[in-house]
Amino acid sequence: MSNGEQLNLFQQPNSQPPTPAEVDIELIPTDAKVPIPPGSYKTMEVLAKQCQSCQRCELGATRINAVVGRGNLQAPIVVIGEGPGQNEDETGLPFVGKAGQLLEKILAAVKLDSEKDVYICNIVKCRPPGNRVPAAEEIAACKPYLLEQIRLIDPKIILLTGATAVKALTGDKRGISKIRGTWMEWEGCLCMPIFHPAYLLRNPSRDQGSPKWLMWQDIQAVRAKLDELIN
Ligand code: SF4
């Protein structure tokens, strides 16, 4: 009897040996008090799988889907929002409601393809009930996933949509109106705070100096910087 045949005798008919990814997940801390070490995830797939069963904070109890991200895993730009809303919770995809459609239009206006040039995700992966702002402890519990996403993608530019995203990633507590459109450096990566598309939906004016007009200035600056970095 060969070694392989002997081994088969000890396996249940349908049992498979654990894949490296499954072993990794078992070793990663699920308690929010225990930090997830950088480098824990070898692929976004493994990270996404863990998020679907994550209970590191209370948001895990009420979600339909954990909303991890969409877009190109090698994208030069990562867009980070605050958290999933109802549409996102139901579909498992970030920025798919009206704000997401506006984000697509803003990106397309400077020839950025949301499937090719961008990866889109949120600060917290599970929907805060009633679309409230995620609490500090929820942001802290979920942040290791975001940091790992950024590490895996290694973007040239990060766009932070709204003050919550800016504060959660960089610790900068200034209002978004004060800092939008300014480049800042975080962990060696260029970041730009921009208005959240949902804010633009509530402020439809296109007059000079309006939020939409300012967004147009900002996204053009992002396009120019990306061209400078990749050419
Ligand atoms: S929000 Fe993040 S930390 Fe909280 S349960 Fe969902 S995936 Fe886990």
Side-chain angles (χ1 to χ4, degrees):
M1 187 181 286
S2 72
N3 284 346
E5 286 167 332
Q6 286 180 48
L7 277 174
N8 283 340
L9 290 176
F10 294 97
Q11 286 182 350
Q12 298 299 313
N14 292 323
S15 74
Q16 297 287 329
T19 64
E22 284 165 344
V23 172
D24 280 348
I25 282 185
E26 284 167 15
L27 293 174
I28 294 165
T30 52
D31 183 339
K33 295 193 185 81
V34 182
I36 298 175
S40 291
Y41 299 97
K42 291 183 178 60
T43 66
M44 197 69 80
E45 196 187 346
V46 180
L47 183 151
K49 191 174 172 189
Q50 180 156 5
C51 286
Q52 294 306 332
S53 59
C54 179
Q55 297 290 335
R56 280 171 65 84
C57 79
E58 288 184 4
L59 300 182
T62 49
R63 68 166 176 245
I64 299 170
N65 289 294
V67 179
V68 178
R70 68 178 170 96
N72 182 0
L73 296 175
Q74 277 95 43
I77 297 176
V78 167
V79 179
I80 303 176
E82 184 175 296
Q86 185 179 353
N87 288 319
E88 289 77 15
D89 188 32
E90 286 169 3
T91 59
L93 294 168
F95 280 92
V96 290
K98 281 188 178 159
Q101 287 161 17
L102 180 56
L103 176 64
E104 299 274 349
K105 279 188 190 167
I106 292 165
L107 295 170
V110 289
K111 298 195 169 25
L112 291 172
D113 184 328
S114 67
E115 296 297 315
K116 184 169 131 292
D117 302 312
V118 175
Y119 181 84
I120 302 172
C121 58
N122 283 307
I123 292 290
V124 292
K125 312 306 177 207
C126 304
R127 182 190 181 198
N131 296 342
R132 63 166 171 75
V133 176
E137 58 272 22
E138 293 158 356
I139 291 172
C142 210
K143 193 167 177 180
Y145 296 127
L146 178 67
L147 297 181
E148 284 291 86
Q149 286 180 292
I150 296 170
R151 181 185 64 78
L152 287 166
I153 295 169
D154 191 20
K156 298 194 181 306
I157 291 172
I158 297 174
L159 298 182
L160 297 160
T161 67
T164 305
V166 178
K167 186 176 158 199
L169 187 69
T170 70
D172 194 320
K173 295 180 186 155
R174 287 177 294 168
I176 192 70
S177 297
K178 283 210 167 62
I179 53 174
R180 56 127 285 276
T182 56
W183 289 108
M184 45 175 73
E185 205 176 308
W186 171 84
E187 302 280 327
C189 183
L190 276 175
C191 298
M192 183 186 278
I194 57 173
F195 287 127
H196 195 287
Y199 178 70
L200 301 180
L201 288 173
R202 297 193 295 272
N203 293 276
S205 167
R206 291 167 184 270
D207 293 347
Q208 187 166 347
S210 68
K212 270 195 169 171
W213 184 86
L214 292 169
M215 175 63 104
W216 175 233
Q217 314 307 311
D218 297 348
I219 201 68
Q220 287 181 98
V222 170
R223 175 79 248 187
K225 180 63 77 180
L226 181 63
D227 290 343
E228 184 188 317
L229 293 172
I230 61 178
N231 290 324

